[in-house]
Amino acid sequence: MFQLIENRDGIARVSINRHDKPVNALSHQIMEQLRDLIDQIKADRSIRGVIFQSTKPGVFIAGADITEFENHTDTTAATEVSRFGQDIFQKLEQIGIPTVALISGACLGGGLEFALACTYRIADDSEKTKIGLPEVQLGLLPGWGGTVRLPEKIGLIDALPLILSGQQLNGFQARSRGIVQDTVPTEALPTVGEKILKTHFEYGSADRLFRAPKKPGWRRAIENLTAVQNYALKKAEQEVLSKTHGHYPAPLAIINVFRRGLKASRAQRFSEESQGVALLAASPVTRQCIRLFFLQEDAKKKPAEIAADFDPKNLQQAAVLGAGAMGAGIALLCARKGISTRLKDIKPEFVARGVKTIRELVQKDVQRKRLTELEATRVYDKLSPTTDYRGLQHADVVIEAVLEEMSIKRRVFAELEAATSSETVLATNTSSLLVSEIARDVAHPERVVGLHFFNPPHQMPLVELIRTPQTSDAALAKAFALVQRLGKTPVVVGDCAGFLVNRMLGPYMNEAGYLLAEVNDPLAMDRAAVQFGMPMGPLALSDLVGLEVAAHVAANLYAAYGERMKPAAIWTRLKELKPASAGAKPKLLDKTGKALNPAVTSIVNQLRRETGASAAQPSSDEIIERLVYPVINEGALCLAEGIARRSEDIDLAMVFGTGFAPFRGGPMQYGLTVGLNRVVETLERLSAKHPHLAPSQALKDFAKAGSFAKRSAQEPEPLVAAGAQ
């Protein structure tokens, strides 16, 4: 991967390109190769400086090869891996001649730790350049010197939030933080690298070429005071506990590594880092985070079941119908990836509103230095607002994002079929309607797929790719290629009411309705869910989604799946709920979000009087059983019906689509952790009073097998439409 390709004018040029992988990743063998190269350079007295530059487009060094870390689950092995990397990067740091890292593309984790060990770091202005230490997202901490060198370069107070969040910066953002010395156009990198080294040769330093990042004088004066650093660590710890409730050990371990290193020597700080890595290596949370990482990477590869190919690079033109928030967001995604995109709606004012939404989102990215003004202009150039179908015959994919009304969608698809070529894939962004029903009147339904983006589409990573029984492999392959091109995580699922995520979420939300009428303290539900690891409780989620939208989805699920999805009585009664003010939407919670809306309390009390129900106060564990076990049950049905191919797909979809506690691995993994027999027994006990909670035969069969990998009945064809249950 590291190859010395030239030594001219005392400057050695090292190419970085791992030929056996699509990205440059640092394995044990490659680190040994780097160590030998450092020794070779150090022994060659004709070499006065070194330039490191990747020849793999879009990647500098993407980090350590995480596949190797799977084997390091004990503290001793993890410590050795950390110290091994630290020693090699210290050899680089102490090589005795100036070194320059020319960064273009992903420079993450071990890649940034490598660059920090170089004398100078120059980034380019490419949108593909991402610089950061994202180890915390895998349940780890930087283990090859990142917790030592980044604070040395930019100060602990600035380094702390970057490492705790795993934030990835572009070249301009990294320059403003002081992580790189400068940001230049990609084509200028080699010239700038040479100039830096020649300046260093002449003056002993190239610092005169760079401007120091702007930082207030008072900030520079106090940021290295131990008392200030301790205060920053304490505040960070409070914020971490507030957000994670202590479920994630990595952020706390990072804070402790910094805290113990405040008055320690540099050698001791490296030792603290290695000990922190060792502490996290054996954590079950780390294992689940790494599992999800591999699932996400695996999902980006076209499934073998799709017997056709389409290169994402060949996607040239797209169209989006519907310029609302969802349609505008999807159009922006396409334009940002260089796809010429028509944004259509029925009225000019609707289109204008969509364009305005796009411009506001783009300008926010410009202000945050995620885009340059030139890149923003290129995005706008890729957009073509329109109110008619002209030009759609050239589109590779058309995505419909109009009102969630079957009659409207059918009419739109009939018009689309006439306005597009036979090669154009017609996709619907419906969240709950059957794709096969939307395509019912289309003469060639094999062209139709579902592409269910989640709101907001420019932020949410997941896209459900829905295949109907008629969808062709060619259409599915092209739709899959689009999701790949957009940088999203696709999960291929069958066509059914609610697809996978909304169908799985249905029992969770509905059970919250039953509990709302049963418990003394309804807010205990939200507290239990958040403590379990959900981003918010079901009551807060209902308010976020909107009670009308939730009721609409619930009605569709009930119509499709029968009694187990029968809406709790409280949801019907909540239709009487009035908004607090004109133009507002009715809410379950009051303005503080910490108590029920008094009007909701009144409705709950009235329902209890009419039914003679008595309130109780279940424990947090009992609440979680009521909320989560039905989700596992629904997942078993999705597997048995072939709606999902693997339990891993369900876990990935629920984590990235709903925020289901990542450290628990997703609902199916959680079911395996607590034991499927226990889930079945609990649901059977609960069903004596609540018949809709009865475990399915599918779940019983999986429990008997002790795994989601086997089915007791003959396996159905995967990814097919499912009717009412």
Side-chain angles (χ1 to χ4, degrees):
M1 181 167 122
F2 292 93
Q3 183 179 4
L4 179 58
I5 58 174
E6 186 181 33
N7 178 10
R8 178 166 46 86
D9 299 329
I11 298 175
R13 292 160 180 83
V14 176
S15 164
I16 306 173
N17 193 343
R18 185 168 176 177
H19 298 287
D20 63 331
K21 295 279 186 178
V23 298
N24 294 330
L26 298 169
S27 66
H28 185 89
Q29 181 180 4
I30 286 171
M31 290 292 281
E32 288 181 327
Q33 180 191 106
L34 175 61
R35 180 190 60 197
D36 295 343
L37 177 64
I38 294 169
D39 288 339
Q40 176 189 343
I41 291 172
K42 198 169 184 177
D44 188 339
R45 295 187 178 276
S46 69
I47 297 176
R48 302 173 62 199
V50 186
I51 292 175
F52 293 97
Q53 185 172 17
S54 170
T55 55
K56 190 182 289 291
V59 183
F60 179 68
I61 301 175
D65 191 339
I66 197 66
T67 58
E68 292 189 351
F69 194 83
E70 285 185 293
N71 302 321
H72 304 307
T73 57
D74 65 89
T75 56
T76 301
T79 301
E80 290 175 355
V81 169
S82 175
R83 289 176 176 169
F84 174 72
Q86 288 177 349
D87 289 346
I88 292 174
F89 287 168
Q90 282 183 283
K91 283 178 71 74
L92 174 61
E93 186 178 52
Q94 298 165 4
I95 195 171
I97 55 176
T99 53
V100 182
L102 299 180
I103 301 169
S104 179
C107 178
L108 302 169
L112 179 54
E113 291 177 298
F114 166 85
L116 289 170
C118 293
T119 315
Y120 304 103
R121 291 158 300 285
I122 305 299
D124 71 357
D125 57 2
S126 168
E127 188 179 8
K128 293 182 179 180
T129 295
K130 301 296 178 185
I131 299 170
L133 296 171
E135 287 88 347
V136 69
Q137 296 168 2
L138 294 177
L140 296 167
L141 58 79
W144 289 345
T147 67
V148 176
R149 291 192 180 91
L150 187 61
E152 288 177 344
K153 298 290 189 294
I154 67 173
L156 183 145
I157 293 175
D158 287 333
L160 183 60
L162 291 176
I163 297 177
L164 286 176
S165 67
Q167 183 182 1
Q168 298 178 20
L169 309 174
N170 63 27
F172 293 104
Q173 292 169 321
R175 165 70 182 83
S176 67
R177 307 287 181 95
I179 299 173
V180 300
Q181 279 96 342
D182 206 355
T183 303
V184 301
T186 306
E187 58 273 14
L189 282 173
T191 302
V192 171
E194 287 187 14
K195 182 178 181 180
I196 288 170
L197 288 182
K198 289 177 180 178
T199 303
H200 187 103
F201 297 159
E202 184 174 357
Y203 298 102
S205 169
D207 289 347
R208 64 181 56 212
L209 298 176
F210 314 118
R211 291 180 294 104
K214 295 179 181 179
K215 188 179 289 189
W218 65 266
R219 176 74 177 274
R220 293 196 301 270
I222 69 169
E223 64 182 1
N224 291 322
L225 297 176
T226 302
V228 173
Q229 293 176 336
N230 269 318
Y231 177 77
L233 291 169
K234 183 179 179 180
K235 291 293 291 182
E237 186 174 51
Q238 291 172 348
E239 290 179 10
V240 165
L241 289 172
S242 174
K243 291 179 180 178
T244 70
H245 301 277
H247 290 309
Y248 295 89
L252 297 175
I254 290 167
I255 291 169
N256 286 331
V257 164
F258 280 134
R259 184 174 282 137
R260 289 194 294 267
L262 283 182
K263 295 183 178 180
S265 66
R266 197 170 195 255
Q268 288 173 317
R269 293 201 298 274
F270 279 111
S271 178
E272 291 291 348
E273 181 181 84
S274 294
Q275 291 177 41
V277 171
L279 177 69
L280 295 171
S283 167
V285 173
T286 302
R287 311 324 301 176
Q288 292 300 343
C289 290
I290 291 176
R291 171 180 173 269
L292 286 170
F293 169 79
F294 283 121
L295 290 181
Q296 187 178 23
E297 292 301 302
D298 187 51
K300 295 175 183 177
K301 304 170 186 174
K302 182 176 67 67
E305 291 85 350
I306 303 178
D309 292 302
F310 192 90
D311 190 338
K313 296 177 183 177
N314 292 334
L315 284 161
Q316 300 297 322
Q317 297 192 47
V320 178
L321 273 59
M326 180 63 78
I330 296 171
L332 173 58
L333 280 174
C334 294
R336 284 198 63 163
K337 294 302 179 180
I339 302 172
S340 297
T341 306
R342 297 180 74 83
L343 177 62
K344 180 192 177 300
D345 214 316
I346 57 175
K347 294 183 179 181
E349 56 265 35
F350 294 169
V351 178
R353 189 165 55 202
V355 172
K356 180 182 177 183
T357 298
I358 290 172
R359 285 189 172 276
E360 289 173 348
L361 291 171
V362 170
Q363 285 307 307
K364 283 183 180 178
D365 282 345
V366 171
Q367 291 168 7
R368 295 169 182 170
K369 297 185 178 181
R370 293 175 181 168
L371 286 177
T372 65
E373 289 286 359
L374 178 59
E375 287 169 335
T377 300
R378 289 172 181 164
V379 171
Y380 299 143
D381 289 345
K382 289 293 181 180
L383 285 167
S384 300
T386 183
T387 56
D388 57 50
Y389 286 107
R390 284 180 296 179
L392 264 65
Q393 67 268 25
H394 304 299
D396 296 300
V397 180
V398 178
I399 304 169
E400 166 272 311
V402 303
L403 291 174
E404 193 77 348
E405 292 288 343
M406 181 63 77
S407 60
I408 296 176
K409 289 182 183 290
R410 281 181 181 159
R411 184 176 72 247
V412 166
F413 269 76
E415 294 169 352
L416 277 175
E417 187 171 37
T420 57
S421 79
S422 60
E423 301 299 315
T424 303
V425 171
L426 307 180
T428 174
N429 183 54
T430 179
S431 61
S432 61
L433 301 175
L434 285 173
V435 177
S436 54
E437 283 297 306
I438 293 173
R440 190 185 67 182
D441 300 328
V442 175
H444 294 281
E446 67 273 11
R447 296 168 56 191
V448 180
V449 302
L451 281 178
H452 179 210
F453 291 80
F454 291 77
N455 201 19
H458 59 285
Q459 293 179 348
M460 295 294 284
L462 182 73
V463 176
E464 286 182 300
L465 207 168
I466 300 98
R467 180 177 200 166
T468 76
Q470 292 79 36
T471 303
S472 69
D473 282 331
L476 198 65
K478 190 178 287 188
F480 193 93
L482 175 64
V483 180
Q484 289 178 307
R485 177 77 173 268
L486 298 182
K488 298 296 183 181
T489 300
V491 174
V492 182
V493 302
D495 188 21
C496 67
F499 312 131
L500 185 58
V501 171
N502 282 340
R503 176 175 169 177
M504 294 281 291
L505 193 60
Y508 175 86
M509 298 297 289
N510 198 30
E511 201 58 30
Y514 283 104
L515 284 165
L516 181 59
E518 294 176 26
V519 300
N520 280 322
D521 179 11
L523 271 296
M525 262 193 297
D526 278 22
R527 292 194 296 271
V530 170
Q531 186 58 43
F532 178 77
M534 300 297 196
M536 65 180 68
L539 302 183
L541 180 58
S542 295
D543 282 349
L544 179 66
V545 171
L547 296 182
E548 290 183 3
V549 173
H552 178 71
V553 173
N556 286 345
L557 294 177
Y558 179 40
Y561 303 114
E563 286 302 305
R564 76 172 187 276
M565 293 280 196
K566 182 178 181 180
I570 189 66
W571 297 125
T572 303
R573 303 301 289 270
L574 285 173
K575 292 179 180 179
E576 308 166 11
L577 195 62
K578 305 295 183 184
S581 60
K585 293 182 179 180
K587 300 279 189 180
L588 293 178
L589 303 177
D590 66 10
K591 291 181 180 180
T592 69
K594 298 179 181 179
L596 274 187
N597 177 345
V600 175
T601 301
S602 177
I603 293 172
V604 169
N605 290 336
Q606 183 180 352
L607 181 62
R608 287 176 182 171
R609 288 193 297 270
E610 292 174 1
T611 60
S614 58
Q617 192 56 54
S619 67
S620 293
D621 288 344
E622 290 170 329
I623 289 173
I624 292 303
E625 289 174 348
R626 290 278 300 272
L627 291 173
V628 177
Y629 285 12
V631 177
I632 301 169
N633 186 52
E634 200 63 36
L637 285 164
C638 288
L639 285 173
E641 295 166 10
I643 296 301
R645 295 177 299 129
R646 309 175 303 162
S647 62
E648 290 85 354
D649 289 342
I650 297 176
D651 285 337
L652 188 68
M654 290 299 286
V655 169
F656 287 99
T658 72
F660 189 98
F663 71 94
R664 298 191 187 276
M668 310 311 280
Q669 183 64 27
Y670 177 66
L672 293 171
T673 300
V674 300
L676 295 182
N677 284 318
R678 176 182 166 183
V679 175
V680 169
E681 291 166 2
T682 302
L683 289 175
E684 285 178 335
R685 172 173 52 81
L686 291 171
S687 68
K689 186 176 180 180
H690 307 282
H692 65 281
L693 292 178
S696 65
Q697 186 60 48
L699 182 60
K700 292 177 183 178
D701 291 344
F702 285 125
K704 185 176 180 179
S707 166
F708 286 119
K710 298 179 181 179
R711 300 174 184 153
S712 59
Q714 183 178 359
E715 294 192 8
E717 289 297 317
L719 309 177
V720 297
Q725 304 301 307

